[in-house]
Amino acid sequence: MNVAKGIRHLAVVGLLTVSTVMASGCTNMVVFDPKGPIGEQQRDLIYFAMLLCLVIAVPVIAITAWIVWRYRDRPESKASYQPKWEHSTKLEIIWWGIPILAIALLAVVTSIYTHRLDPAKPLKSDAAPITVQVTSLDWKWLFQYPEQGIATVNTLVIPEDTPVKFELTSDGPMNSFWVPQLGGMIYTMSGMQTTLHLQADEPGEYLGTGANFTGREFAKMAFTTKAVKRSDFDVWVTDVKAKGGALTDDSYQQLVKPGTSPILTYASVSDGLFQRIVHNYSMSRGAEGGLGRKATTLSELHAEEDEGGQLAPDLNPQPGANEGMEDMDMDMGMNMEHEDADAAGTGHNH
């Protein structure tokens, strides 16, 4: 009896120790230290799912330990092994009904949060939102501020208590944009634009990163998100315009080349740069990313028959595609000329 009490006390101490360690570690787990409304709601959903799992897991683990201890084989035991199997409707309802209810409850709550946390859904706020256009490159992040007319590389500055609308794309491999303390993780894909709304409730510096493996330097695709007061944000914009360079189409072609980059700022941005990255990105295999390389579709590579049975003209011929045909036409023309000459000569001799 004293041994059983000692084991129970040891189990309680162990659970308290594990709980204390996990609680103290939350300060280092940025997901559990949110600084925005989206991050807070996502943390609450995680807590709810964990609690629901513990409600089931803890009793099951405790009962399993008790059964192993209670019905263990002991040397002094003289009882014969005579198991009696019997069906119990009540027990079946308990150990099937509780998990089913837990899963149903988790499904309902998750569904509610999924609709509430739709990344494309604007945040309600008295402050006017700002727009940031995000482009993932190899291996760096480009942030454009269309309303302010500036751009940065590997640093993101936003005003506090202000909704931020992120428009995201990629000029390279698919990646994932993620600022854990603000919440949300969304893909950046070439030739597509995704939308994410976030907000920082207090000033601070928050880790931002890419969450997809994209090659050799993918681990260096980290950036700092600085949330500052609105007045400080305006001062920063003015400073960038005074000291930054110009992000032209030519300088972008240099930036888009694979490689890491330090923090850069641009005082001006080429008009329509983000839209051209989205719409003009080349999807041809082996083609380099960047401006001026228009997407090539299968309908442009292969001629299609129109309603009258004629072949549609190739509106976007590939370089060198007709060289072989032109050479063949020239050879056939020369052969025809020789045959005509031979025929004329033969007629003259006769």
Side-chain angles (χ1 to χ4, degrees):
M1 191 66 178
N2 293 331
V3 175
K5 288 183 178 180
I7 292 176
R8 286 198 295 270
H9 290 315
L10 182 62
V12 171
V13 172
L15 288 173
L16 291 175
T17 302
V18 171
S19 301
T20 303
V21 172
M22 291 184 65
S24 62
C26 286
T27 56
N28 296 325
M29 300 174 66
V30 292
V31 174
F32 295 98
D33 186 25
K35 301 299 182 181
I38 302 298
E40 290 177 354
Q41 294 183 71
Q42 291 178 345
R43 178 204 58 190
D44 295 342
L45 180 59
I46 295 174
Y47 279 159
F48 175 79
M50 292 174 58
L51 179 61
L52 198 59
C53 292
L54 289 175
V55 168
I56 299 175
V58 172
V60 169
I61 295 174
I63 292 174
T64 301
W66 178 79
I67 290 175
V68 171
W69 175 261
R70 173 67 177 79
Y71 297 100
R72 70 190 187 282
D73 185 24
R74 291 171 290 182
E76 66 273 12
S77 176
K78 303 298 182 181
S80 58
Y81 180 68
Q82 295 179 347
K84 295 181 180 180
W85 302 99
E86 183 178 354
H87 175 75
S88 174
T89 303
K90 292 181 179 180
L91 291 178
E92 291 282 353
I93 292 175
I94 291 174
W95 59 54
W96 282 106
I98 293 177
I100 290 175
L101 290 176
I103 293 173
L105 180 59
L106 182 60
V108 171
V109 174
T110 303
S111 177
I112 294 173
Y113 272 86
T114 299
H115 289 281
R116 185 184 300 172
L117 297 175
D118 181 0
K121 185 178 180 181
L123 300 178
K124 295 181 180 179
S125 175
D126 296 333
I130 69 168
T131 300
V132 178
Q133 296 170 334
V134 183
T135 305
S136 60
L137 306 173
D138 275 338
W139 290 274
K140 58 194 82 76
W141 292 93
L142 171 63
F143 302 100
Q144 300 181 52
Y145 296 75
E147 298 162 355
Q148 288 75 27
I150 62 174
T152 63
V153 174
N154 289 340
T155 184
L156 175 63
V157 180
I158 58 176
E160 65 165 333
D161 286 331
T162 301
V164 182
K165 178 184 178 183
F166 292 98
E167 298 175 350
L168 306 102
T169 191
S170 174
D171 201 347
M174 181 176 70
N175 213 311
S176 292
F177 174 83
W178 190 27
V179 184
Q181 287 184 276
L182 301 185
M185 177 193 294
I186 194 165
Y187 285 125
T188 60
M189 295 173 280
S190 57
M192 299 182 65
Q193 176 182 321
T194 50
T195 304
L196 175 66
H197 290 84
L198 296 177
Q199 177 178 312
D201 288 339
E202 60 184 70
E205 295 187 0
Y206 312 119
L207 171 68
T209 183
N212 270 33
F213 177 80
T214 57
R216 184 182 68 244
E217 305 290 351
F218 83 100
K220 297 181 181 179
M221 287 194 67
F223 59 92
T224 301
T225 302
K226 298 180 181 180
V228 298
K229 296 181 179 180
R230 186 64 192 228
S231 58
D232 294 336
F233 176 78
D234 295 335
V235 171
W236 172 77
V237 171
T238 302
D239 186 63
V240 170
K241 288 184 177 182
K243 298 180 180 179
L247 183 58
T248 62
D249 291 353
D250 293 337
S251 60
Y252 176 76
Q253 290 292 348
Q254 297 300 319
L255 181 65
V256 79
K257 292 180 179 179
T260 59
S261 173
I263 294 176
L264 302 173
T265 58
Y266 297 95
S268 62
V269 182
S270 177
D271 292 338
L273 175 61
F274 182 79
Q275 285 71 25
R276 293 199 300 277
I277 294 172
V278 175
H279 297 294
N280 295 341
Y281 180 83
S282 175
M283 293 182 292
S284 299
R285 294 183 178 181
E288 297 181 358
L291 297 175
R293 296 177 174 85
K294 191 174 182 179
T296 303
T297 62
L298 291 178
S299 61
E300 294 172 331
L301 291 176
H302 304 286
E304 298 179 351
E305 294 186 1
D306 59 12
E307 295 180 356
Q310 300 295 325
L311 293 177
D314 191 355
L315 300 179
N316 188 18
Q318 300 300 308
N322 296 326
E323 293 178 358
M325 294 299 295
E326 293 175 355
D327 295 340
M328 185 180 296
D329 291 341
M330 293 178 63
D331 293 340
M332 291 179 66
M334 295 177 64
N335 291 334
M336 290 295 292
E337 291 177 358
H338 287 302
E339 290 177 1
D340 292 342
D342 293 340
T346 303
H348 178 72
N349 292 333
H350 284 291

